[in-house]
Amino acid sequence: MERFSDDVLKRTHTCGQLRAGDIGQHVRLCGWVKSYRDHGGVVFIDLRDRYGVTQVVYDLPENADAAAQNMYALARAARNEWVLAIGGTVRSRGEDRINPKLPTGEIEILGDAIALLNRSETVPFEPDEFSKVGEELRLKYRFIDIRRPELANALVLRHRIAKAMRDTLSDEGFIEVETPFLTKSTPEGARDFLVPSRLQLGTFYALPQSPQLFKQILMVGGMDKYFQIVRCFRDEDLRADRQPEFTQLDLEMSFCTQQDVMEAVTRVMREVCKVSGKEFPENVPHMPYDEAMARYGTDRPDLRFGLELQDVGDIVSDAGFKVFSDALTAGGQVKCLVPSGGAKFTRKEIDEYTALATEFGAKGLAWCKVEAGGFAGGVAKFLSPEVQQALRERTGAQEGDILMFCADREAVVARVLGALRTRLGRDLKLYDPKSFAWCWVVDFPLVVWDEGEKRWFSVHHPFTMPKDFDPVTLQANPAAIKSKAYDLVCNGVELGGGSIRIHDMEIQRHVFELLGISEEEAHEKFDFLMTALKFGAPPHGGLALGLDRIVMMMAGGESLRDVIAFPKTQRGTCPLTNAPGPVDERQLSELDIRVITPPTKA
């Protein structure tokens, strides 16, 4: 490869910048060869950088001198993904050769200089071929995949969203404070990633699942408006919207109400949508948790479409169908969904929806179709004409619809029909996939009963402030106590959640007692926070927004891996670096750790 001077690296423009107004200018560009075409005497090179693509033309005139011949020979030799610096004059492509697919499609550059900055071996895949390439291969060669415009644009959007968050909060008086990555393992969450200590052998740090305790300490310290765009870690099974390391916008405020926090986050999201080219409503509706569960079967309802859950227990209680009557006798519910036009479902499709229902805990899925002469199929034979008429009036079912029932405990009915509603909304195309529907879900329960462990657990975390705190009700009927917790939901996805925190040690003591956490255990697990709350803790609250999920939604991605530069696979591995991997014995010896090979699985 020939040597080149530093002057050739001085770009005048990027590969996505030139337009018809630049015709006649002499320019210099640097980038990668996206494609090349040799037409015998004329070479066309599409030069690409993260800003776009520009067509460059090299021709060989008659009586060309040696320098022009060398330039043309190098242009002919160029191959995909070689790195070039080019110089030339911007000219019009001509009316009949405009490329409407490119922002630079009206112009091209007549090249008069070229420098080879670096060759490339034959790549394992072209950036344009990503849809034909397995994800494992794309992650292994992520440096090539990042050249793909969709991924490059997502990373640029991520930067702009993070900047909008920082700018908005900074303008409102929030300060960004870093919190430790090496901290103490605390309960009430997913598994921690543990880091052994060399200086304190036999002890471990934990990577933080969130900065929750530290940001509360900052409030006690008087930092009344804190935020941080922070990396968090959870050792849990992965899926499309989950990674072992993720990023969130974390914020906390002192001397605030629940409404203050929600309004601050709303202003942040308004700016996020603005830089993403999305609309954001003037007012985000609030929906109580109980209403969300009753109408949609989930605390993160997708409001882009209707298809709400209908309670029909009182109508079918005496229908003579044992599944319904047994569920109601046991204190459960009978609810149904009525997808319009669902009578066209084949038996195979109904069986697939039934399998989904059982996957989410149902014993089956009762159904019947609405025809001109009455209900047909499934459980129709158990429903008298009077019951059928009552169901029509309650649910608004019309000829050509289908009723899909679930009868079970309240939690099971909500979980099953909530999941079924989501699937039906997608399958029946009940919403515009490019639309956005926002809401705040509020008034969450403070605690939930775990039948397996026979004890109460916090719905959010044990530092969440009860709403209208009453110690008598807290002990006598914990399920009735609501919390000052709130989630921001968009399109059926929880983008962030938070709460007002307990700052009063007397209230905290009552909550710990309900959760079965003794004072001794509380100090063992949360000692530094318990101590801090005794020294003038102000009322405070906050929220964390999932940056990865927000960018995924704004970019129209289907997976978090579409918007993270170097993500892990669903097995928690990094094909690029081959992490996780073994370490040598010397390192293990310094940590006083010995690896025991697990037994081979049969």
Side-chain angles (χ1 to χ4, degrees):
M1 185 170 63
E2 297 180 3
R3 289 183 173 273
F4 56 85
S5 68
D6 288 349
D7 287 343
V8 303
L9 301 178
K10 294 180 180 178
R11 297 180 287 179
T12 61
H13 297 79
T14 69
C15 294
Q17 192 174 355
L18 297 170
R19 299 292 187 271
D22 299 303
I23 290 174
Q25 283 195 58
H26 191 273
V27 299
R28 283 182 291 185
L29 308 181
C30 296
W32 289 260
V33 176
K34 180 179 183 291
S35 64
Y36 60 92
R37 301 174 299 284
D38 188 347
H39 289 181
V42 180
V43 175
F44 295 88
I45 293 176
D46 288 341
L47 199 67
R48 180 196 68 234
D49 59 15
R50 74 174 174 91
Y51 305 95
V53 178
T54 297
Q55 178 171 282
V56 187
V57 182
Y58 289 94
D59 60 12
L60 186 63
E62 294 183 9
N63 303 318
D65 59 20
Q69 292 182 29
N70 289 337
M71 178 188 70
Y72 181 74
L74 180 53
R76 288 194 67 191
R79 293 296 180 263
N80 285 6
E81 304 308 319
W82 283 23
V83 189
L84 303 179
I86 69 95
T89 301
V90 182
R91 70 181 186 184
S92 172
R93 287 196 185 198
E95 290 293 332
D96 58 336
R97 294 194 299 117
I98 290 175
N99 185 348
K101 296 180 181 180
L102 291 178
T104 60
E106 291 184 275
I107 60 92
E108 62 188 12
I109 296 175
L110 179 61
D112 59 22
I114 187 171
L116 174 61
L117 305 182
N118 212 345
R119 291 179 174 84
S120 170
E121 296 182 3
T122 301
V123 293
F125 62 90
E126 299 286 346
D128 291 346
E129 298 176 336
F130 77 98
S131 61
K132 303 176 183 178
V133 180
E135 185 177 62
E136 190 92 7
L137 185 64
R138 288 194 288 113
L139 293 181
K140 180 176 176 63
Y141 296 94
R142 191 64 162 179
F143 40 84
I144 294 173
D145 199 32
I146 290 174
R147 298 175 192 172
R148 175 165 53 95
E150 294 85 356
L151 181 52
N153 291 340
L155 296 180
V156 172
L157 178 61
R158 185 186 182 100
H159 158 74
R160 296 179 65 200
I161 287 174
K163 183 176 184 299
M165 290 175 167
R166 278 195 168 95
D167 290 349
T168 303
L169 291 173
S170 296
D171 289 346
E172 295 195 9
F174 286 78
I175 60 168
E176 186 164 11
V177 182
E178 294 179 338
T179 53
F181 275 1
L182 297 177
T183 184
K184 182 179 180 180
S185 180
T186 57
E188 306 293 333
R191 295 185 194 90
D192 289 325
F193 281 102
L194 301 177
V195 181
S197 169
R198 181 183 61 82
L199 300 178
Q200 304 290 334
L201 290 177
T203 63
F204 294 81
Y205 300 104
L207 300 181
Q209 297 185 35
S210 82
Q212 179 64 47
L213 302 185
F214 288 104
K215 65 181 181 181
Q216 290 190 247
I217 294 290
L218 286 170
M219 296 302 103
V220 180
M223 298 287 100
D224 65 319
K225 286 186 173 183
Y226 141 93
F227 83 97
Q228 184 180 189
I229 296 179
V230 60
R231 208 71 164 158
C232 302
F233 308 86
R234 291 182 182 175
D235 185 7
E236 55 188 355
D237 295 334
L238 307 184
R239 58 191 185 203
D241 62 346
R242 186 180 286 171
Q243 283 278 301
E245 49 183 330
F246 57 96
T247 305
Q248 66 184 37
L249 170 67
D250 200 55
L251 64 87
E252 197 81 3
M253 304 165 64
S254 292
F255 311 114
C256 65
T257 65
Q258 173 175 308
Q259 189 63 27
D260 292 331
V261 179
M262 294 164 67
E263 288 176 357
V265 173
T266 297
R267 290 191 291 272
V268 169
M269 289 308 304
R270 182 168 286 114
E271 292 304 311
V272 166
C273 286
K274 184 183 296 183
V275 302
S276 305
K278 310 295 183 184
E279 292 187 1
F280 192 82
E282 186 65 29
N283 296 297
V284 178
H286 294 191
M287 181 178 296
Y289 169 89
D290 290 342
E291 179 183 343
M293 296 300 294
R295 294 172 60 188
Y296 304 102
T298 177
D299 59 4
R300 50 184 191 280
D302 190 338
L303 302 183
R304 289 175 294 179
F305 63 103
L307 193 59
E308 296 183 14
L309 281 59
Q310 307 273 359
D311 192 335
V312 295
D314 58 321
I315 297 176
V316 302
S317 58
D318 298 323
F321 185 43
K322 194 171 186 299
V323 172
F324 290 169
S325 57
D326 285 355
L328 294 169
T329 301
Q333 295 179 327
V334 180
K335 288 189 172 184
C336 71
L337 294 171
V338 187
S340 179
K344 69 178 182 295
F345 290 157
T346 65
R347 188 53 192 261
K348 180 176 181 292
E349 289 173 319
I350 293 174
D351 287 345
E352 289 173 352
Y353 290 128
T354 301
L356 175 68
T358 56
E359 179 184 335
F360 281 86
K363 299 179 181 65
L365 185 67
W367 60 274
C368 58
K369 297 180 178 181
V370 183
E371 298 181 348
F375 290 6
V379 298
K381 61 185 177 181
F382 297 103
L383 307 177
S384 67
E386 293 76 18
V387 169
Q388 292 184 22
Q389 182 59 32
L391 286 171
R392 283 176 181 265
E393 293 175 359
R394 174 71 59 84
T395 66
Q398 302 291 322
E399 182 181 344
D401 295 345
I402 188 173
L403 282 76
M404 309 174 88
F405 301 89
C406 183
D408 213 309
R409 291 180 292 110
E410 181 179 350
V412 175
V413 170
R415 185 169 64 245
V416 169
L417 292 186
L420 184 58
R421 175 182 180 270
T422 298
R423 175 68 65 83
L424 288 166
R426 185 191 68 189
D427 291 352
L428 298 176
K429 297 179 172 55
L430 299 182
Y431 56 86
D432 178 358
K434 295 183 179 179
S435 64
F436 288 81
W438 302 83
C439 74
W440 282 103
V441 177
V442 297
D443 295 342
F444 281 81
L446 181 69
V447 292
V448 63
W449 179 256
D450 187 289
E451 192 61 40
E453 297 198 24
K454 304 294 183 185
R455 75 180 187 92
W456 295 100
F457 280 87
S458 300
V459 170
H460 281 76
H461 54 66
F463 313 109
T464 302
M465 178 68 80
K467 187 176 183 181
D468 303 322
F469 173 71
D470 173 23
V472 175
T473 306
L474 186 66
Q475 291 301 322
N477 188 10
I481 299 292
K482 302 301 183 185
S483 66
K484 293 185 178 182
Y486 34 83
D487 284 356
L488 181 62
V489 176
C490 182
N491 295 359
V493 178
E494 177 201 328
L495 294 183
S499 66
I500 298 299
R501 325 302 186 185
I502 298 173
H503 67 280
D504 184 311
M505 278 302 299
E506 184 64 17
I507 298 176
Q508 187 68 76
R509 184 181 64 79
H510 282 289
V511 172
F512 277 159
E513 183 179 342
L514 175 64
L515 298 174
I517 300 175
S518 66
E519 187 173 348
E520 180 181 0
E521 184 182 0
H523 277 282
E524 179 184 343
K525 294 176 176 177
F526 316 111
D527 183 63
F528 61 103
L529 179 61
M530 295 297 96
T531 300
L533 292 179
K534 297 177 181 178
F535 290 88
H540 59 284
L543 180 139
L545 286 168
L547 178 62
D548 308 303
R549 286 187 180 184
I550 289 172
V551 178
M552 180 178 73
M553 183 166 287
M554 296 296 154
E558 297 181 357
S559 165
L560 294 183
R561 294 186 289 277
D562 294 334
V563 297
I564 296 175
F566 304 106
K568 304 292 189 295
T569 67
Q570 287 190 335
R571 299 191 307 276
T573 62
C574 174
L576 177 68
T577 62
N578 289 323
V583 297
D584 62 44
E585 288 297 326
R586 179 183 59 81
Q587 290 175 286
L588 293 175
S589 178
E590 288 177 340
L591 296 168
D592 201 21
I593 288 178
R594 180 165 59 93
V595 175
I596 300 175
T597 303
T600 304
K601 293 183 179 180

